Amino acid sequence: MPNPYREIFRRPGTRGFSAAGFVARLPLPMTTIGLVAMLSQTHGEYWIAGAVSATFALANAFIAPQVSRWVDRKGQSAVLVPTTVVTFVAMLGLAAAAWLRWPNWMLFVFAVIAGLMPSMMALVRARWTEIYRDRPELHTAFAFESVLDEVVYIFGPVLGIGLSVTFFPEAGVLASAAFLVIGTALFVAQKSTEPRVDPRRQTGGGSVMRLVPMWFVVAVFAGMGAIFGTAEVSVVAFAEAMGNKGAASYVLSAYAAGSFIVGLVVGAIRFETPLARRLVFVSLIAAVTTLPMPFVGNLWTLTLVVFFAGAAISPTFITGMSLIERIVPASQLTEGITYAMTGVGIGFAAGSSVAGWTIDAYGASNGFWVAVAGGAVAFATMLIGHGRLSRPSRQVDTPSAAPTATLNPAE
């Protein structure tokens, strides 16, 4: 039986850009947690650490789609070089401001500027799409990248915290800046796989969010983001309530492992089910797997429950990314994927904050009800939007930038 993952790497250049993209996407989770580790040590206050980290995360959530839109208009290399340089300087500024104890407002300014960091997850997927558009190999490629995303979000925070604690407070942020420059330089150097720029996009055009189906997909991703944003906070609180706070890392590892394993399996399967119907199904599973969370009574049961909950994450993302590829114009794919990841970020922030408030008010176990709500939002969104996502609405580029229906996104 042929290995589908080996097949996708037969094309020249695929190994190189995927490896470079892996290095270049490490900085996002490393920076978010690295800022907390750095500032909690240099300033001794968690409020400033959390506020600066949140400022960076929210700035990136809102700026990254605009950067990706610029990428679709001008090309990856033309945009990645200047935005990476500016981001790198801002991250050095953050480290310097912490080390030299510059005024707090400067930390927030640098955090906003660092939010210019490009969405490498979208840029890598855009290259895969350029190579395997409308071919079954694209599904496998998206699955592979989703698995790498899991690895990044498992080891990125560990690396960011570990460097700061082991060496000096600024080490995590500085390492993140180095990974960004090295990974991006290697990525940009590979010209043969860079997507072509459609000349008709040079003068701009409307945002992909003018397309109603995109709102449904982004809302589903926001619901999924709320699930694992809630999980991170609630698992730590539950483990602490059980008298073993350190066990939270093992429980969360099981969550990531579930997504990792199932993502590999899903990527090896050739599905015949229409994408829209498949997204309804996987969002239902994601919602159902959250239901036992508020009722668990011990850490072993929680580990098993979150493993199955994690198993629903990667199929949802893989299917959603494939659906976006069918919805948006080919020349705006990077922007479309970035908006989906923005939905994840907003859902994550909302889920973690609401879960924290719920835990403080009603106890650790009740924090998981926010994950249940996130799953319900994702599934309800797909029920409402299934009809619209199933109708022929594939957008294509035209000289007037007007969308025309040519292909059923559900196929």
Side-chain angles (χ1 to χ4, degrees):
M1 178 181 295
N3 183 338
Y5 292 101
R6 184 180 302 153
E7 293 297 320
I8 64 174
F9 286 107
R10 289 189 183 277
R11 293 289 186 92
T14 50
R15 295 176 186 271
F17 81 72
S18 184
F22 175 81
V23 176
R25 81 182 79 174
L26 275 169
L28 184 57
M30 279 185 67
T31 302
T32 304
I33 196 68
L35 288 172
V36 174
M38 177 179 73
L39 295 174
S40 62
Q41 293 179 80
T42 59
H43 288 61
E45 297 176 305
Y46 275 95
W47 76 266
I48 186 68
V52 172
S53 179
T55 298
F56 165 74
L58 288 174
N60 184 253
F62 287 100
I63 296 174
Q66 308 312 315
V67 173
S68 292
R69 189 176 180 185
W70 189 20
V71 166
D72 286 331
R73 291 174 55 189
K74 303 297 183 182
Q76 292 188 351
S77 298
V79 176
L80 275 175
V81 172
T83 54
T84 297
V85 169
V86 173
T87 304
F88 177 74
V89 171
M91 293 173 73
L92 293 183
L94 280 166
W99 180 44
L100 299 173
R101 296 301 300 269
W102 290 345
N104 287 345
W105 65 265
M106 296 189 69
L107 292 169
F108 289 97
V109 170
F110 283 126
V112 171
I113 298 173
L116 196 67
M117 183 182 293
S119 176
M120 291 305 302
M121 296 177 183
L123 294 169
V124 171
R125 286 174 170 88
R127 292 203 178 200
W128 283 117
T129 304
E130 183 76 3
I131 296 171
Y132 291 123
R133 188 181 306 278
D134 295 328
R135 292 174 57 88
E137 289 91 342
L138 185 60
H139 167 78
T140 303
F142 278 2
F144 178 77
E145 293 301 329
S146 293
V147 168
L148 289 189
D149 290 342
E150 293 295 337
V151 175
V152 165
Y153 277 96
I154 292 171
F155 292 107
V158 173
L159 190 58
I161 294 174
L163 290 172
S164 292
V165 173
T166 304
F167 296 103
F168 52 92
E170 300 82 10
V173 172
L174 291 176
S176 177
F179 280 130
L180 179 65
V181 170
I182 293 170
T184 302
L186 293 173
F187 190 80
V188 168
Q190 300 174 68
K191 300 293 186 180
S192 64
T193 54
E194 182 173 347
R196 299 181 299 274
V197 177
D198 190 327
R200 292 170 296 188
R201 283 287 296 158
Q202 295 288 332
T203 56
S207 167
V208 296
M209 296 310 292
R210 74 189 187 280
L211 308 173
V212 174
M214 273 298 300
W215 286 92
F216 289 110
V217 178
V218 170
V220 171
F221 274 57
M224 301 305 292
I227 292 176
F228 55 82
T230 299
E232 289 208 357
V233 174
S234 299
V235 164
V236 173
F238 185 85
E240 185 174 15
M242 293 288 104
N244 189 4
K245 188 175 182 178
S249 60
Y250 302 106
V251 178
L252 290 172
S253 294
Y255 186 79
S259 182
F260 181 91
I261 294 170
V262 174
L264 284 176
V265 173
V266 168
I269 300 174
R270 295 284 188 259
F271 292 97
E272 299 297 332
T273 310
L275 284 169
R277 189 184 308 168
R278 200 188 314 162
L279 192 54
V280 172
F281 179 70
V282 293
S283 62
L284 171 61
I285 293 177
V288 170
T289 56
T290 64
L291 296 178
M293 288 183 178
F295 304 104
V296 296
N298 57 71
L299 288 169
W300 289 109
T301 304
L302 180 62
T303 302
L304 182 63
V305 168
V306 300
F307 175 83
F308 286 109
I313 295 295
S314 54
T316 306
F317 284 177
I318 294 166
T319 307
M321 293 294 184
S322 298
L323 193 54
I324 289 172
E325 189 268 333
R326 298 298 184 95
I327 292 171
V328 304
S331 63
Q332 292 181 275
L333 179 64
T334 311
E335 181 188 352
I337 293 176
T338 305
Y339 267 114
M341 300 313 298
T342 295
V344 174
I346 293 173
F348 185 96
S352 58
S353 59
V354 174
W357 178 86
T358 305
I359 290 165
D360 289 338
Y362 302 105
S365 293
N366 286 309
F368 288 112
W369 285 109
V370 182
V372 175
V377 167
F379 178 54
T381 298
M382 276 311 301
L383 285 180
I384 297 170
H386 177 262
R388 187 61 181 262
L389 290 168
S390 297
R391 290 198 292 270
S393 57
R394 169 76 175 265
Q395 305 297 313
V396 298
D397 299 291
T398 64
S400 61
T404 58
T406 62
L407 183 64
N408 189 337
E411 294 177 353

